[in-house]
Amino acid sequence: MFWRSSPQSNAVRRLSIWTGWAVVIWVTVFWRLGFPSFWDPDEAVYAVATREMLRTGDWLAPMFNGAPFFDKPILFYWLQLVSFKLFGITEFAARLVPAVSAIGIIGTTFWAGRTFFNCTVGRSEEHTSELQSRFGISYAVFC
């Protein structure tokens, strides 16, 4: 006699899997996001350029030390400006946009793997090397 899972136990199993992934993502991406000060000089430079945009009200030209600073696309600075407006000019607000972007990349990778291939993509090394050689990307798909 085979054990059959009920729809309720499948729902509980799926919920526990999604909850587990949510905890893993929260710990790796968001936990202590604003706690340490900036280590990487680039991180601080982007935050200062965004702070200057907020101070001057010029939302089109990021400036650093009085010179135009177009190191990143303007959308990054705009999203960081919104974060600064919502959470204040803090390390947390400066790091929030890259952290949310990382979650978006994970979701996009999941969607692409599932749409272009199938749900089992990412479970074997053969698929991983095939995708990396064809598209030049690393990915992880959670089904």
Side-chain angles (χ1 to χ4, degrees):
M1 187 165 158
F2 292 104
W3 179 74
R4 293 183 188 236
S5 61
S6 68
Q8 185 178 12
S9 67
N10 278 342
V12 169
R13 182 176 169 273
R14 278 178 132 351
L15 180 64
S16 64
I17 288 171
W18 282 105
T19 303
W21 277 114
V23 168
V24 167
I25 289 171
W26 182 79
V27 166
T28 57
V29 176
F30 294 109
W31 183 61
R32 296 174 57 101
L33 189 62
F35 184 71
S37 62
F38 293 126
W39 295 315
D40 187 12
D42 291 337
E43 193 177 33
V45 168
Y46 300 134
V48 168
T50 304
R51 185 185 67 198
E52 288 301 308
M53 288 175 74
L54 185 63
R55 187 183 61 79
T56 63
D58 183 5
W59 285 49
L60 295 177
M63 304 289 275
F64 181 72
N65 285 340
F69 188 73
F70 296 105
D71 237 25
K72 284 198 179 273
I74 196 69
L75 181 61
F76 171 80
Y77 296 108
W78 289 345
L79 293 173
Q80 204 168 45
L81 276 166
V82 170
S83 181
F84 279 2
K85 286 260 192 193
L86 292 174
F87 302 106
I89 301 173
T90 63
E91 284 89 358
F92 173 81
R95 290 182 177 129
L96 186 62
V97 172
V100 171
S101 297
I103 301 302
I105 289 170
I106 291 169
T108 302
T109 304
F110 169 73
W111 171 83
R114 198 164 187 176
T115 300
F116 298 126
F117 300 99
N118 60 29
C119 197
T120 59
V121 171
R123 292 187 182 163
S124 72
E125 220 28 65
E126 300 146 8
H127 293 298
T128 303
S129 61
E130 181 181 335
L131 267 183
Q132 287 176 343
S133 65
R134 283 190 184 180
F135 302 108
I137 58 171
S138 298
Y139 69 97
V141 177
F142 315 107
C143 295

